[in-house]
Amino acid sequence: EAKRAGGARHLVFETAMRERAARRADIEAELRLAIEQEQLFVVYQPVVGLLSDGRTDHGAGVEALVRWRHPTRGIVPPVDFITVAEECGLIGPVGDFVLERSCRDFMDWQARLGPAAPRLVAVNLSRAQLGQPGWVDTVHAILCATGMPPGQLQLEVTESLAAQDLDIQQRLHELKALGVKLALDDFGTGYSSLSSLHLLPVDTVKIDRSFVSQADTSNHHRVLIEATVKVAQSLGMLTVAEGIETQSQADVVRAQFCAKGQGYFYSRPLAPDALLDWLASHAAPTA
Ligand code: C2E
Ligand code: MG
Ligand code: MG
Ligand code: MG
Protein backbone atom coordinates (compact mmCIF):
# COMPACT_ATOMS: atom_id res chain seq x y z
CA GLU A 1 0.00 0.00 0.00
CA ALA A 2 2.76 2.40 1.05
CA LYS A 3 4.76 1.38 -2.01
CA ARG A 4 1.83 2.06 -4.31
CA ALA A 5 1.31 5.54 -2.79
CA GLY A 6 5.02 6.28 -3.19
CA GLY A 7 4.87 5.17 -6.80
CA ALA A 8 1.90 7.42 -7.44
CA ARG A 9 3.67 10.34 -5.85
CA HIS A 10 6.68 9.62 -8.00
CA LEU A 11 4.50 9.65 -11.09
CA VAL A 12 2.93 12.97 -10.10
CA PHE A 13 6.39 14.40 -9.55
CA GLU A 14 7.65 13.14 -12.92
CA THR A 15 4.61 14.54 -14.70
CA ALA A 16 5.12 17.93 -13.07
CA MET A 17 8.79 17.91 -14.06
CA ARG A 18 7.94 16.99 -17.64
CA GLU A 19 5.33 19.72 -17.85
CA ARG A 20 7.76 22.25 -16.48
CA ALA A 21 10.45 21.21 -18.94
CA ALA A 22 7.95 21.38 -21.80
CA ARG A 23 6.82 24.85 -20.76
CA ARG A 24 10.45 25.97 -20.62
CA ALA A 25 11.07 24.56 -24.09
CA ASP A 26 7.99 26.45 -25.34
CA ILE A 27 9.18 29.73 -23.85
CA GLU A 28 12.66 29.12 -25.24
CA ALA A 29 11.35 28.56 -28.79
CA GLU A 30 9.04 31.56 -28.51
CA LEU A 31 11.84 33.75 -27.19
CA ARG A 32 14.08 32.86 -30.14
CA LEU A 33 11.27 33.99 -32.42
CA ALA A 34 10.67 37.10 -30.30
CA ILE A 35 14.27 38.22 -30.83
CA GLU A 36 14.03 37.60 -34.59
CA GLN A 37 10.67 39.32 -34.91
CA GLU A 38 11.60 42.23 -32.65
CA GLN A 39 8.91 41.61 -30.05
CA LEU A 40 11.20 42.86 -27.28
CA PHE A 41 11.10 46.52 -26.32
CA VAL A 42 12.47 48.77 -23.62
CA VAL A 43 10.64 51.07 -21.18
CA TYR A 44 12.37 53.67 -19.03
CA GLN A 45 11.74 54.53 -15.41
CA PRO A 46 12.88 57.99 -14.28
CA VAL A 47 15.46 58.20 -11.50
CA VAL A 48 15.28 61.56 -9.73
CA GLY A 49 17.87 63.54 -7.82
CA LEU A 50 16.90 64.29 -4.20
CA LEU A 51 18.53 67.69 -3.86
CA SER A 52 19.72 68.87 -0.46
CA ASP A 53 17.57 72.02 -0.68
CA GLY A 54 14.48 69.81 -0.78
CA ARG A 55 13.88 70.06 -4.52
CA THR A 56 13.68 67.16 -6.95
CA ASP A 57 15.81 66.94 -10.10
CA HIS A 58 13.75 65.09 -12.70
CA GLY A 59 16.53 64.89 -15.29
CA ALA A 60 18.98 62.82 -13.23
CA GLY A 61 18.50 59.66 -15.25
CA VAL A 62 16.40 56.68 -16.30
CA GLU A 63 16.61 52.91 -15.92
CA ALA A 64 16.01 50.72 -18.97
CA LEU A 65 13.66 47.77 -18.31
CA VAL A 66 12.98 45.15 -20.96
CA ARG A 67 9.50 43.93 -21.91
CA TRP A 68 8.22 41.26 -24.31
CA ARG A 69 5.16 41.95 -26.44
CA HIS A 70 3.99 38.36 -26.78
CA PRO A 71 1.61 37.63 -29.69
CA THR A 72 -0.98 35.92 -27.44
CA ARG A 73 0.06 36.45 -23.82
CA GLY A 74 0.30 40.25 -23.94
CA ILE A 75 3.14 42.16 -22.29
CA VAL A 76 5.44 39.72 -20.48
CA PRO A 77 7.61 41.15 -17.63
CA PRO A 78 11.32 40.31 -17.32
CA VAL A 79 10.86 37.98 -14.32
CA ASP A 80 8.98 35.64 -16.67
CA PHE A 81 11.71 35.36 -19.30
CA ILE A 82 15.13 36.65 -18.17
CA THR A 83 15.95 33.47 -16.21
CA VAL A 84 14.90 31.29 -19.14
CA ALA A 85 17.00 33.47 -21.45
CA GLU A 86 19.99 33.00 -19.15
CA GLU A 87 19.56 29.23 -18.97
CA CYS A 88 19.17 28.63 -22.69
CA GLY A 89 21.96 30.91 -23.88
CA LEU A 90 19.69 33.67 -25.18
CA ILE A 91 20.65 36.37 -22.68
CA GLY A 92 23.46 37.49 -25.04
CA PRO A 93 21.14 38.66 -27.83
CA VAL A 94 18.52 39.94 -25.34
CA GLY A 95 21.11 41.92 -23.37
CA ASP A 96 22.82 43.32 -26.45
CA PHE A 97 19.45 44.42 -27.80
CA VAL A 98 18.60 46.27 -24.57
CA LEU A 99 22.04 47.91 -24.37
CA GLU A 100 22.02 49.11 -27.96
CA ARG A 101 18.38 50.27 -27.82
CA SER A 102 19.11 52.20 -24.60
CA CYS A 103 22.17 53.93 -26.05
CA ARG A 104 20.29 54.85 -29.24
CA ASP A 105 17.32 56.23 -27.28
CA PHE A 106 19.67 58.17 -25.00
CA MET A 107 21.36 59.79 -28.01
CA ASP A 108 17.94 60.59 -29.49
CA TRP A 109 16.86 62.39 -26.27
CA GLN A 110 20.19 64.19 -26.26
CA ALA A 111 19.61 65.44 -29.82
CA ARG A 112 16.00 66.47 -29.15
CA LEU A 113 16.19 67.90 -25.64
CA GLY A 114 19.82 68.95 -25.16
CA PRO A 115 20.44 69.87 -21.52
CA ALA A 116 16.86 68.84 -20.60
CA ALA A 117 17.59 65.20 -21.55
CA PRO A 118 18.16 62.58 -18.81
CA ARG A 119 21.84 62.66 -17.88
CA LEU A 120 22.24 58.92 -17.29
CA VAL A 121 20.78 55.69 -18.65
CA ALA A 122 21.05 52.56 -16.51
CA VAL A 123 20.98 49.06 -18.03
CA ASN A 124 20.68 45.81 -16.05
CA LEU A 125 23.19 43.01 -16.56
CA SER A 126 22.96 39.34 -15.73
CA ARG A 127 25.68 36.96 -14.62
CA ALA A 128 25.66 35.06 -17.92
CA GLN A 129 26.37 38.25 -19.87
CA LEU A 130 29.32 39.18 -17.70
CA GLY A 131 30.69 35.66 -18.01
CA GLN A 132 30.70 35.70 -21.82
CA PRO A 133 34.22 35.97 -23.23
CA GLY A 134 34.62 39.09 -25.34
CA TRP A 135 31.50 40.74 -23.94
CA VAL A 136 33.39 43.83 -22.73
CA ASP A 137 34.45 44.32 -26.38
CA THR A 138 30.79 44.14 -27.40
CA VAL A 139 29.99 46.94 -24.93
CA HIS A 140 32.86 48.99 -26.36
CA ALA A 141 31.59 48.36 -29.92
CA ILE A 142 28.04 49.45 -29.00
CA LEU A 143 29.37 52.64 -27.35
CA CYS A 144 31.36 53.46 -30.49
CA ALA A 145 28.55 52.60 -32.92
CA THR A 146 25.98 54.73 -31.11
CA GLY A 147 28.22 57.59 -29.95
CA MET A 148 27.04 57.00 -26.38
CA PRO A 149 29.27 58.86 -23.87
CA PRO A 150 30.53 56.03 -21.58
CA GLY A 151 30.27 58.19 -18.46
CA GLN A 152 26.53 58.52 -18.96
CA LEU A 153 25.90 54.78 -19.16
CA GLN A 154 25.38 52.91 -15.90
CA LEU A 155 25.52 49.11 -15.82
CA GLU A 156 23.68 47.47 -12.93
CA VAL A 157 24.70 44.17 -11.37
CA THR A 158 22.99 42.49 -8.46
CA GLU A 159 24.65 42.06 -5.14
CA SER A 160 24.52 38.25 -5.16
CA LEU A 161 26.18 38.25 -8.56
CA ALA A 162 29.12 40.45 -7.69
CA ALA A 163 30.01 39.26 -4.21
CA GLN A 164 32.91 36.89 -3.83
CA ASP A 165 33.33 36.12 -7.51
CA LEU A 166 36.80 37.16 -8.64
CA ASP A 167 36.03 36.59 -12.34
CA ILE A 168 33.09 38.94 -12.10
CA GLN A 169 35.13 41.50 -10.19
CA GLN A 170 37.80 41.37 -12.92
CA ARG A 171 35.12 41.90 -15.56
CA LEU A 172 33.73 44.86 -13.61
CA HIS A 173 37.18 46.46 -13.55
CA GLU A 174 37.42 46.03 -17.33
CA LEU A 175 34.05 47.74 -17.73
CA LYS A 176 35.18 50.58 -15.44
CA ALA A 177 38.19 51.01 -17.69
CA LEU A 178 35.79 51.76 -20.59
CA GLY A 179 34.58 54.71 -18.54
CA VAL A 180 31.08 53.42 -17.81
CA LYS A 181 29.44 53.76 -14.38
CA LEU A 182 28.62 50.69 -12.31
CA ALA A 183 25.82 50.21 -9.80
CA LEU A 184 25.15 47.49 -7.26
CA ASP A 185 21.45 46.65 -7.64
CA ASP A 186 18.98 45.36 -5.01
CA PHE A 187 21.41 46.06 -2.17
CA GLY A 188 20.40 44.39 1.07
CA THR A 189 18.86 41.28 -0.46
CA GLY A 190 21.99 39.24 -1.18
CA TYR A 191 24.85 37.72 0.76
CA SER A 192 27.33 40.53 0.70
CA SER A 193 27.29 43.14 3.39
CA LEU A 194 28.33 46.67 4.10
CA SER A 195 31.77 45.37 5.06
CA SER A 196 32.44 44.02 1.55
CA LEU A 197 31.19 47.06 -0.38
CA HIS A 198 34.71 48.40 -0.73
CA LEU A 199 35.73 45.28 -2.72
CA LEU A 200 33.56 46.25 -5.66
CA PRO A 201 34.43 48.97 -8.18
CA VAL A 202 30.92 50.42 -8.11
CA ASP A 203 29.92 54.09 -8.20
CA THR A 204 26.39 53.64 -6.94
CA VAL A 205 24.50 51.46 -4.48
CA LYS A 206 20.80 50.90 -5.10
CA ILE A 207 18.96 50.18 -1.87
CA ASP A 208 16.39 47.47 -2.48
CA ARG A 209 12.68 48.20 -2.50
CA SER A 210 12.11 45.79 0.40
CA PHE A 211 13.89 48.31 2.67
CA VAL A 212 12.50 51.45 1.10
CA SER A 213 8.90 50.20 1.25
CA GLN A 214 9.19 50.02 5.03
CA ALA A 215 11.35 53.12 5.49
CA ASP A 216 8.48 55.11 6.99
CA THR A 217 6.93 52.36 9.13
CA SER A 218 9.86 50.35 10.49
CA ASN A 219 12.62 51.87 12.55
CA HIS A 220 14.78 48.82 11.79
CA HIS A 221 14.57 49.42 8.03
CA ARG A 222 15.15 53.14 8.42
CA VAL A 223 18.32 52.49 10.43
CA LEU A 224 19.60 50.06 7.77
CA ILE A 225 19.03 52.67 5.06
CA GLU A 226 20.83 55.27 7.16
CA ALA A 227 23.82 52.92 7.68
CA THR A 228 23.99 52.00 3.99
CA VAL A 229 23.99 55.66 2.93
CA LYS A 230 26.74 56.49 5.45
CA VAL A 231 29.02 53.61 4.47
CA ALA A 232 28.46 54.20 0.74
CA GLN A 233 29.18 57.91 1.15
CA SER A 234 32.38 57.21 3.06
CA LEU A 235 33.51 55.04 0.13
CA GLY A 236 32.67 57.80 -2.37
CA MET A 237 29.58 56.02 -3.68
CA LEU A 238 26.13 57.45 -4.37
CA THR A 239 22.94 55.83 -3.13
CA VAL A 240 19.62 55.37 -4.89
CA ALA A 241 16.46 54.37 -3.03
CA GLU A 242 14.48 51.92 -5.19
CA GLY A 243 10.72 51.46 -5.17
CA ILE A 244 9.58 54.72 -3.52
CA GLU A 245 5.79 54.61 -3.63
CA THR A 246 4.70 57.33 -1.20
CA GLN A 247 5.53 60.87 -0.18
CA SER A 248 6.46 59.72 3.32
CA GLN A 249 8.94 57.14 1.98
CA ALA A 250 10.44 59.88 -0.20
CA ASP A 251 10.69 62.16 2.84
CA VAL A 252 12.47 59.51 4.92
CA VAL A 253 15.10 58.58 2.32
CA ARG A 254 15.73 62.27 1.62
CA ALA A 255 16.21 62.90 5.33
CA GLN A 256 18.76 60.04 5.31
CA PHE A 257 20.71 61.90 2.57
CA CYS A 258 20.03 59.35 -0.12
CA ALA A 259 21.17 61.08 -3.35
CA LYS A 260 18.56 59.71 -5.73
CA GLY A 261 15.18 58.05 -5.74
CA GLN A 262 13.20 55.84 -8.08
CA GLY A 263 9.70 54.42 -7.81
CA TYR A 264 6.04 54.65 -8.75
CA PHE A 265 5.74 57.80 -6.57
CA TYR A 266 7.73 59.65 -9.24
CA SER A 267 6.83 57.59 -12.28
CA ARG A 268 6.21 54.06 -13.53
CA PRO A 269 8.45 52.81 -16.33
CA LEU A 270 7.46 54.69 -19.52
CA ALA A 271 7.67 54.19 -23.27
CA PRO A 272 10.08 56.72 -24.88
CA ASP A 273 7.28 59.07 -26.04
CA ALA A 274 5.66 59.09 -22.61
CA LEU A 275 9.06 59.72 -21.04
CA LEU A 276 9.49 62.84 -23.20
CA ASP A 277 6.06 64.09 -22.03
CA TRP A 278 6.96 63.36 -18.40
CA LEU A 279 10.26 65.24 -18.73
CA ALA A 280 8.53 68.21 -20.37
CA SER A 281 6.01 68.43 -17.54
CA HIS A 282 8.80 68.43 -14.94
CA ALA A 283 11.18 70.75 -16.75
CA ALA A 284 12.41 72.73 -13.74
CA PRO A 285 13.46 71.24 -10.39
CA THR A 286 10.42 71.33 -8.15
CA ALA A 287 9.80 71.39 -4.45
P1 C2E B 1 15.51 46.07 -10.98
O1 C2E B 1 16.71 46.32 -11.81
O2 C2E B 1 15.66 46.16 -9.52
O3 C2E B 1 14.41 47.08 -11.52
C1 C2E B 1 13.43 47.66 -10.72
C2 C2E B 1 12.12 46.91 -10.81
O4 C2E B 1 11.23 47.41 -9.82
C3 C2E B 1 11.38 47.05 -12.14
O5 C2E B 1 10.61 45.87 -12.36
C4 C2E B 1 10.45 48.22 -11.85
O6 C2E B 1 9.33 48.28 -12.70
C5 C2E B 1 10.05 47.90 -10.43
N1 C2E B 1 9.64 49.09 -9.68
C6 C2E B 1 10.10 50.36 -9.79
N2 C2E B 1 9.51 51.19 -8.92
C7 C2E B 1 8.65 50.44 -8.21
C8 C2E B 1 7.73 50.74 -7.17
O7 C2E B 1 7.58 51.87 -6.69
N3 C2E B 1 6.99 49.69 -6.68
C9 C2E B 1 7.10 48.44 -7.18
N4 C2E B 1 6.32 47.49 -6.68
N5 C2E B 1 7.96 48.11 -8.18
C10 C2E B 1 8.73 49.11 -8.70
P2 C2E B 1 10.67 45.08 -13.75
O8 C2E B 1 10.73 46.03 -14.90
O9 C2E B 1 9.59 44.06 -13.73
O10 C2E B 1 12.08 44.38 -13.68
C11 C2E B 1 12.36 43.41 -12.71
C12 C2E B 1 13.81 43.00 -12.74
O11 C2E B 1 14.11 42.36 -13.97
C13 C2E B 1 14.77 44.18 -12.66
O12 C2E B 1 14.90 44.60 -11.31
C14 C2E B 1 16.03 43.58 -13.24
O13 C2E B 1 16.71 42.83 -12.26
C15 C2E B 1 15.46 42.61 -14.28
N6 C2E B 1 15.57 43.23 -15.61
C16 C2E B 1 14.79 44.17 -16.19
N7 C2E B 1 15.24 44.48 -17.43
C17 C2E B 1 16.36 43.73 -17.62
C18 C2E B 1 17.30 43.60 -18.72
O14 C2E B 1 17.24 44.27 -19.76
N8 C2E B 1 18.32 42.70 -18.54
C19 C2E B 1 18.45 41.95 -17.39
N9 C2E B 1 19.49 41.08 -17.30
N10 C2E B 1 17.59 42.06 -16.36
C20 C2E B 1 16.56 42.93 -16.47
MG1 MG C 1 18.22 47.66 -11.91
MG1 MG D 1 16.93 46.95 -8.35
MG1 MG E 1 14.96 45.57 -7.12
Side-chain angles (χ1 to χ4, degrees), residues 3 14 55 63 65 95 142 182 184 200 210 215 220 222 231 237 241 243 258 276 280:
K3 199 177 165 196
E14 263 196 349
R55 290 181 307 158
E63 176 171 9
L65 298 158
I142 291 174
L182 298 178
L184 196 57
L200 297 168
S210 57
H220 173 73
R222 190 185 52 71
V231 172
M237 299 169 182
C258 204
L276 293 185

mmCIF file of all heavy atoms in Angstrom, residues 3 14 55 63 65 95 142 182 184 200 210 215 220 222 231 237 241 243 258 276 280:
data_model
loop_
_atom_site.group_PDB
_atom_site.id
_atom_site.type_symbol
_atom_site.label_atom_id
_atom_site.label_comp_id
_atom_site.label_asym_id
_atom_site.label_seq_id
_atom_site.Cartn_x
_atom_site.Cartn_y
_atom_site.Cartn_z
ATOM 1 N N LYS A 3 3.947 1.367 -0.797
ATOM 2 C CA LYS A 3 4.761 1.380 -2.011
ATOM 3 C C LYS A 3 3.969 1.983 -3.184
ATOM 4 O O LYS A 3 4.491 2.761 -3.972
ATOM 5 C CB LYS A 3 5.171 -0.064 -2.329
ATOM 6 C CG LYS A 3 6.365 -0.140 -3.264
ATOM 7 C CD LYS A 3 6.775 -1.581 -3.502
ATOM 8 C CE LYS A 3 7.698 -1.691 -4.701
ATOM 9 N NZ LYS A 3 7.789 -3.074 -5.153
ATOM 10 N N GLU A 14 7.082 13.231 -11.561
ATOM 11 C CA GLU A 14 7.652 13.142 -12.920
ATOM 12 C C GLU A 14 6.826 13.943 -13.925
ATOM 13 O O GLU A 14 7.369 14.618 -14.777
ATOM 14 C CB GLU A 14 7.693 11.679 -13.365
ATOM 15 C CG GLU A 14 9.034 11.038 -13.143
ATOM 16 C CD GLU A 14 9.180 9.753 -13.929
ATOM 17 O OE1 GLU A 14 8.187 9.257 -14.483
ATOM 18 O OE2 GLU A 14 10.307 9.252 -13.969
ATOM 19 N N ARG A 55 14.485 70.182 -3.197
ATOM 20 C CA ARG A 55 13.881 70.061 -4.518
ATOM 21 C C ARG A 55 14.197 68.700 -5.141
ATOM 22 O O ARG A 55 15.024 67.949 -4.635
ATOM 23 C CB ARG A 55 14.371 71.194 -5.426
ATOM 24 C CG ARG A 55 13.815 72.570 -5.020
ATOM 25 C CD ARG A 55 14.314 73.656 -5.952
ATOM 26 N NE ARG A 55 15.780 73.617 -6.057
ATOM 27 C CZ ARG A 55 16.466 74.125 -7.082
ATOM 28 N NH1 ARG A 55 15.840 74.714 -8.065
ATOM 29 N NH2 ARG A 55 17.788 74.053 -7.092
ATOM 30 N N GLU A 63 16.170 54.308 -15.865
ATOM 31 C CA GLU A 63 16.608 52.913 -15.916
ATOM 32 C C GLU A 63 15.850 52.198 -17.026
ATOM 33 O O GLU A 63 14.621 52.273 -17.102
ATOM 34 C CB GLU A 63 16.357 52.200 -14.582
ATOM 35 C CG GLU A 63 16.726 50.709 -14.663
ATOM 36 C CD GLU A 63 16.711 49.977 -13.324
ATOM 37 O OE1 GLU A 63 16.261 50.553 -12.318
ATOM 38 O OE2 GLU A 63 17.145 48.809 -13.309
ATOM 39 N N LEU A 65 14.255 49.039 -18.765
ATOM 40 C CA LEU A 65 13.661 47.774 -18.307
ATOM 41 C C LEU A 65 13.020 47.080 -19.500
ATOM 42 O O LEU A 65 12.184 47.661 -20.195
ATOM 43 C CB LEU A 65 12.632 48.058 -17.205
ATOM 44 C CG LEU A 65 13.230 48.715 -15.941
ATOM 45 C CD1 LEU A 65 12.162 49.441 -15.129
ATOM 46 C CD2 LEU A 65 13.961 47.671 -15.088
ATOM 47 N N GLY A 95 20.353 40.857 -24.037
ATOM 48 C CA GLY A 95 21.110 41.918 -23.366
ATOM 49 C C GLY A 95 21.709 42.919 -24.344
ATOM 50 O O GLY A 95 21.683 44.131 -24.096
ATOM 51 N N ILE A 142 29.354 48.778 -29.019
ATOM 52 C CA ILE A 142 28.041 49.453 -28.996
ATOM 53 C C ILE A 142 28.209 50.939 -28.642
ATOM 54 O O ILE A 142 27.568 51.809 -29.233
ATOM 55 C CB ILE A 142 27.063 48.726 -28.034
ATOM 56 C CG1 ILE A 142 26.694 47.356 -28.613
ATOM 57 C CG2 ILE A 142 25.808 49.571 -27.781
ATOM 58 C CD1 ILE A 142 25.848 46.479 -27.702
ATOM 59 N N LEU A 182 29.141 51.972 -12.785
ATOM 60 C CA LEU A 182 28.618 50.685 -12.310
ATOM 61 C C LEU A 182 27.761 50.896 -11.068
ATOM 62 O O LEU A 182 28.094 51.718 -10.210
ATOM 63 C CB LEU A 182 29.765 49.729 -11.973
ATOM 64 C CG LEU A 182 30.706 49.335 -13.110
ATOM 65 C CD1 LEU A 182 31.813 48.426 -12.578
ATOM 66 C CD2 LEU A 182 29.955 48.631 -14.239
ATOM 67 N N LEU A 184 25.501 48.735 -7.940
ATOM 68 C CA LEU A 184 25.146 47.491 -7.263
ATOM 69 C C LEU A 184 23.639 47.548 -7.001
ATOM 70 O O LEU A 184 23.164 48.411 -6.263
ATOM 71 C CB LEU A 184 25.933 47.398 -5.956
ATOM 72 C CG LEU A 184 26.016 46.044 -5.281
ATOM 73 C CD1 LEU A 184 26.606 45.001 -6.221
ATOM 74 C CD2 LEU A 184 26.883 46.139 -4.037
ATOM 75 N N LEU A 200 34.140 46.152 -4.326
ATOM 76 C CA LEU A 200 33.557 46.245 -5.661
ATOM 77 C C LEU A 200 33.775 47.631 -6.257
ATOM 78 O O LEU A 200 33.610 48.633 -5.562
ATOM 79 C CB LEU A 200 32.058 45.949 -5.589
ATOM 80 C CG LEU A 200 31.742 44.528 -5.107
ATOM 81 C CD1 LEU A 200 30.271 44.395 -4.768
ATOM 82 C CD2 LEU A 200 32.146 43.521 -6.165
ATOM 83 N N SER A 210 12.614 46.416 -0.825
ATOM 84 C CA SER A 210 12.109 45.791 0.403
ATOM 85 C C SER A 210 12.467 46.618 1.641
ATOM 86 O O SER A 210 11.777 46.545 2.661
ATOM 87 C CB SER A 210 12.631 44.363 0.525
ATOM 88 O OG SER A 210 14.034 44.344 0.486
ATOM 89 N N ALA A 215 10.533 52.045 4.917
ATOM 90 C CA ALA A 215 11.349 53.124 5.486
ATOM 91 C C ALA A 215 10.561 53.986 6.466
ATOM 92 O O ALA A 215 11.103 54.467 7.461
ATOM 93 C CB ALA A 215 11.908 53.995 4.362
ATOM 94 N N HIS A 220 13.723 49.739 12.199
ATOM 95 C CA HIS A 220 14.780 48.818 11.795
ATOM 96 C C HIS A 220 15.224 49.091 10.349
ATOM 97 O O HIS A 220 16.403 49.223 10.049
ATOM 98 C CB HIS A 220 14.244 47.390 11.946
ATOM 99 C CG HIS A 220 15.142 46.336 11.427
ATOM 100 N ND1 HIS A 220 16.299 45.960 12.073
ATOM 101 C CD2 HIS A 220 15.068 45.571 10.309
ATOM 102 C CE1 HIS A 220 16.878 45.001 11.387
ATOM 103 N NE2 HIS A 220 16.166 44.743 10.312
ATOM 104 N N ARG A 222 14.620 51.791 8.553
ATOM 105 C CA ARG A 222 15.149 53.143 8.417
ATOM 106 C C ARG A 222 16.618 53.201 8.846
ATOM 107 O O ARG A 222 17.449 53.828 8.191
ATOM 108 C CB ARG A 222 14.311 54.117 9.254
ATOM 109 C CG ARG A 222 14.625 55.588 8.985
ATOM 110 C CD ARG A 222 13.873 56.516 9.920
ATOM 111 N NE ARG A 222 14.033 56.178 11.330
ATOM 112 C CZ ARG A 222 15.163 56.358 12.019
ATOM 113 N NH1 ARG A 222 16.224 56.880 11.440
ATOM 114 N NH2 ARG A 222 15.233 56.010 13.292
ATOM 115 N N VAL A 231 27.873 54.405 4.916
ATOM 116 C CA VAL A 231 29.022 53.615 4.465
ATOM 117 C C VAL A 231 29.315 53.899 2.991
ATOM 118 O O VAL A 231 30.471 54.115 2.607
ATOM 119 C CB VAL A 231 28.803 52.100 4.697
ATOM 120 C CG1 VAL A 231 29.906 51.283 4.043
ATOM 121 C CG2 VAL A 231 28.719 51.800 6.187
ATOM 122 N N MET A 237 30.653 56.533 -2.814
ATOM 123 C CA MET A 237 29.583 56.023 -3.681
ATOM 124 C C MET A 237 28.280 56.771 -3.425
ATOM 125 O O MET A 237 28.028 57.235 -2.316
ATOM 126 C CB MET A 237 29.333 54.534 -3.382
ATOM 127 C CG MET A 237 30.547 53.650 -3.621
ATOM 128 S SD MET A 237 30.265 51.998 -2.934
ATOM 129 C CE MET A 237 31.847 51.212 -3.306
ATOM 130 N N ALA A 241 17.511 55.131 -3.691
ATOM 131 C CA ALA A 241 16.456 54.373 -3.025
ATOM 132 C C ALA A 241 15.493 53.857 -4.094
ATOM 133 O O ALA A 241 14.916 54.645 -4.846
ATOM 134 C CB ALA A 241 15.720 55.247 -2.020
ATOM 135 N N GLY A 243 12.083 51.840 -5.522
ATOM 136 C CA GLY A 243 10.716 51.462 -5.165
ATOM 137 C C GLY A 243 10.020 52.415 -4.208
ATOM 138 O O GLY A 243 9.227 51.992 -3.375
ATOM 139 N N CYS A 258 19.956 60.177 1.068
ATOM 140 C CA CYS A 258 20.031 59.353 -0.123
ATOM 141 C C CYS A 258 20.041 60.308 -1.330
ATOM 142 O O CYS A 258 19.245 61.237 -1.394
ATOM 143 C CB CYS A 258 18.791 58.454 -0.152
ATOM 144 S SG CYS A 258 19.016 56.989 -1.094
ATOM 145 N N LEU A 276 9.279 61.456 -22.744
ATOM 146 C CA LEU A 276 9.493 62.841 -23.198
ATOM 147 C C LEU A 276 8.414 63.766 -22.634
ATOM 148 O O LEU A 276 8.706 64.866 -22.180
ATOM 149 C CB LEU A 276 9.519 62.907 -24.729
ATOM 150 C CG LEU A 276 10.703 62.217 -25.411
ATOM 151 C CD1 LEU A 276 10.677 62.446 -26.922
ATOM 152 C CD2 LEU A 276 12.044 62.688 -24.841
ATOM 153 N N ALA A 280 9.004 66.861 -20.032
ATOM 154 C CA ALA A 280 8.530 68.212 -20.374
ATOM 155 C C ALA A 280 7.667 68.781 -19.248
ATOM 156 O O ALA A 280 7.728 69.977 -18.959
ATOM 157 C CB ALA A 280 7.735 68.168 -21.685
#
